[in-house]
Amino acid sequence: MKAEKHILIVEDEEKLAYVLEDYLHAANFTTHWLADGAKVTDWFNTHPVDLILLDLMLPNVDGLEIAKTIRKTSKVPIIMITARIEEIDRLLGLELGADDYICKPFSPREVVARIKAVLRRTYNEDVDAQTPTTLSAPLLLDGHSFCISANGRQIMLTHVEFQLFQVLYQQPNRIFSRVQLIDKIYQDHRIVSDRTVDSHIKKLRKKLAGLLPEIELIHSVYGAGYRYAPQAKSAETALQDS
Ligand code: CA
């Protein structure tokens, strides 16, 4: 049997912390709650932790400082919680290495689902015991023809789609905001809207589905942007895509 995953909740709103603990216990996680930002790194350094839910605004030491300190020594998955959705773009720009971002107010159910998704990606282990999530065949990218091939199949992308894919693919799991993607792709500082990125990504995902129908390669991260993380499609998403 798999050991229970231990989640460190760093949150100064007591009621919110209690609700999160309830939901996490119901989902078979064990938890520890800290409300004081100054206590987090010490606790983390002396206890085993599988994932940290980290609020941004905290007394004494804020979530940013905590994330920076922890990242110096550890790759433990961190889900950052912020009260302002506009804040996420700035946080992404700081490259703190958080694994996901959640905006308040949130539904505890959603938080549990996001924790499971991050754990699945990080430990390559399916918490819900569904289908395996790894990519069996390597992807081959050809920067001259803008083609991607796998399993003997090949798709041809436009120049922009290929660049978008390459940026995401080269740093698996890292979330790129739309602004960051635009900066990487349009070096002539053209004015490109977020919607342009979304529309290219949409077309790209459709083409990728033709290459690997069972696997979701690119994920949109709500309020944040996109990331490359191969995962087996659930029956539900496979249905939506077809
Ligand atoms: Ca707070």
Side-chain angles (χ1 to χ4, degrees):
M1 221 173 105
K2 273 180 283 188
E4 284 176 340
K5 293 281 186 225
H6 193 64
I7 316 292
L8 174 60
I9 301 170
V10 186
E11 171 61 67
D12 56 323
E13 288 171 58
E14 192 176 329
K15 276 187 190 163
L16 197 52
Y18 283 161
V19 173
L20 283 171
E21 288 202 301
D22 275 353
Y23 273 80
L24 286 168
H25 294 163
N28 288 321
F29 292 106
T30 56
T31 58
H32 183 78
W33 168 47
L34 293 173
D36 182 349
K39 293 189 175 150
V40 180
T41 16
D42 274 354
W43 200 89
F44 175 76
N45 289 333
T46 47
H47 297 80
V49 173
D50 295 300
L51 182 143
I52 306 176
L53 262 184
L54 182 60
D55 189 27
L56 185 64
M57 299 296 283
L58 293 163
N60 300 319
V61 181
D62 71 15
L64 278 183
E65 284 309 311
I66 296 171
K68 277 188 212 159
T69 312
I70 287 177
R71 271 292 169 268
K72 282 181 193 160
T73 58
S74 165
K75 284 184 172 175
V76 66
I78 298 176
I79 298 183
M80 199 89 170
I81 297 177
T82 162
R84 296 196 357 234
I85 198 145
E86 316 86 75
E87 188 71 27
I88 293 181
D89 230 42
R90 190 178 75 87
L91 293 175
L92 281 171
L94 295 174
E95 300 191 12
L96 299 165
D99 297 81
D100 203 351
Y101 296 84
I102 293 176
C103 197
K104 285 180 183 176
F106 51 68
S107 89
R109 222 181 286 270
E110 167 76 10
V111 176
V112 172
R114 304 272 282 269
I115 288 176
K116 284 183 180 176
V118 169
L119 288 174
R120 211 154 28 219
R121 274 201 310 275
T122 314
Y123 300 104
N124 206 6
E125 166 187 300
D126 206 327
V127 210
D128 283 338
Q130 295 164 344
T131 34
T133 57
T134 43
L135 196 57
S136 54
L139 292 178
L140 298 167
L141 278 68
D142 182 346
H144 296 290
S145 61
F146 309 138
C147 283
I148 300 179
S149 28
N151 289 337
R153 267 183 282 192
Q154 193 178 55
I155 49 166
M156 195 193 266
L157 305 177
T158 64
H159 188 201
V160 172
E161 288 162 4
F162 187 84
Q163 284 180 297
L164 274 173
F165 184 76
Q166 206 170 25
V167 170
L168 296 165
Y169 175 78
Q170 282 168 349
Q171 286 179 273
N173 290 328
R174 176 175 158 192
I175 304 168
F176 286 90
S177 73
R178 290 170 177 81
V179 174
Q180 287 174 327
L181 289 171
I182 291 169
D183 282 352
K184 296 243 180 217
I185 285 157
Y186 299 98
Q187 270 121 18
D188 52 356
H189 301 287
R190 243 183 294 171
I191 309 293
V192 182
S193 76
D194 288 7
R195 282 202 189 162
T196 314
V197 175
D198 290 343
S199 125
H200 286 306
I201 294 272
K202 198 175 167 191
K203 287 179 199 154
L204 173 60
R205 287 169 86 174
K206 208 165 179 180
K207 289 183 182 176
L208 291 169
L211 188 69
L212 296 161
E214 312 297 323
I215 296 169
E216 192 83 67
L217 295 173
I218 294 173
H219 302 260
S220 74
V221 183
Y222 178 70
Y226 294 98
R227 79 157 105 232
Y228 174 86
Q231 264 174 45
K233 280 182 190 171
S234 64
E236 211 175 310
T237 39
L239 217 63
Q240 280 167 7
D241 281 357
S242 59

